């Protein structure tokens, strides 16, 4: 088995984009874009049987990035690093028509990783 780091991207900071009057792209937006490019390159190179694993720190644990990796033609396994005291939530429920106030950002809290590990 080979582990080959490649396809790196320089991701400018929010301050750099603001100075140049450009829209800021978050690190997870860059990661999703890289993964889509990788998927296209793999299909074009005739290597659809290769399995791809992306290893990153906790910034890559966004639901948008993980869902995008699952929806790709060649799904990607993402291994984000989490602490045992991380607080995880279900996705938020859709808004009910006529609901007042701001929409919820997170759903119901899941059991802690320590409790899951103990089970």
């Amino acid at each position: 088995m080979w582990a080959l780091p490649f396809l790196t991207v320089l991701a400018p900071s929010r301050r750099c984009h603001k100075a140049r009057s450009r829209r800021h792209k978050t690190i997870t937006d860059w990661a999703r874009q890289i993964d889509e490019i990788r998927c296209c390159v793999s299909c074009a190179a005739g290597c659809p049987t290769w399995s791809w694993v992306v290893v990153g720190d906790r910034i890559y644990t966004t639901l948008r990035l993980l869902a995008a990796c699952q929806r790709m033609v060649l799904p990607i396994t993402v291994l984000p690093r989490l602490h045992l005291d991380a607080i995880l939530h279900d996705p938020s429920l859709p808004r009910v028509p006529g609901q007042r106030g701001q929409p919820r950002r997170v759903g119901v809290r899941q059991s802690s990783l320590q409790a899951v590990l103990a089970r």
Side-chain angles (χ1 to χ4, degrees):
M1 174 163 42
W2 285 74
L4 204 57
F6 69 100
L7 198 60
T8 59
V9 172
L10 176 62
S13 67
R14 183 180 306 271
R15 186 181 60 200
C16 178
H17 279 142
K18 187 175 181 179
R20 290 175 174 77
S21 300
R22 293 187 177 175
R23 185 182 66 86
H24 178 65
K25 281 172 60 173
T26 63
I27 291 177
T28 54
D29 290 336
W30 283 105
R32 189 171 58 249
Q33 187 175 1
I34 290 170
D35 291 340
E36 289 170 1
I37 292 169
R38 187 247 2 122
C39 189
C40 294
V41 168
S42 293
C43 291
C47 304
T49 58
W50 289 5
S51 61
W52 292 82
V53 179
V54 175
V55 179
D57 57 7
R58 66 181 179 207
I59 199 165
Y60 298 101
T61 57
T62 63
L63 293 177
R64 284 179 51 196
L65 175 64
L66 298 175
C69 289
Q70 286 179 340
R71 284 191 308 263
M72 291 185 187
V73 176
L74 300 171
I76 299 172
T77 303
V78 179
L79 298 175
R81 183 175 152 238
L82 288 176
H83 292 276
L84 283 176
D85 61 350
I87 299 172
L88 303 176
H89 295 271
D90 290 334
S92 62
L93 298 174
R95 287 182 64 88
V96 178
Q99 181 177 353
R100 300 174 74 184
Q102 287 191 343
R104 292 191 60 135
R105 290 182 166 219
V106 295
V108 179
R109 185 174 177 173
Q110 296 178 358
S111 54
S112 69
L113 294 176
Q114 290 176 335
V116 171
L117 184 62
R119 264 192 275 142

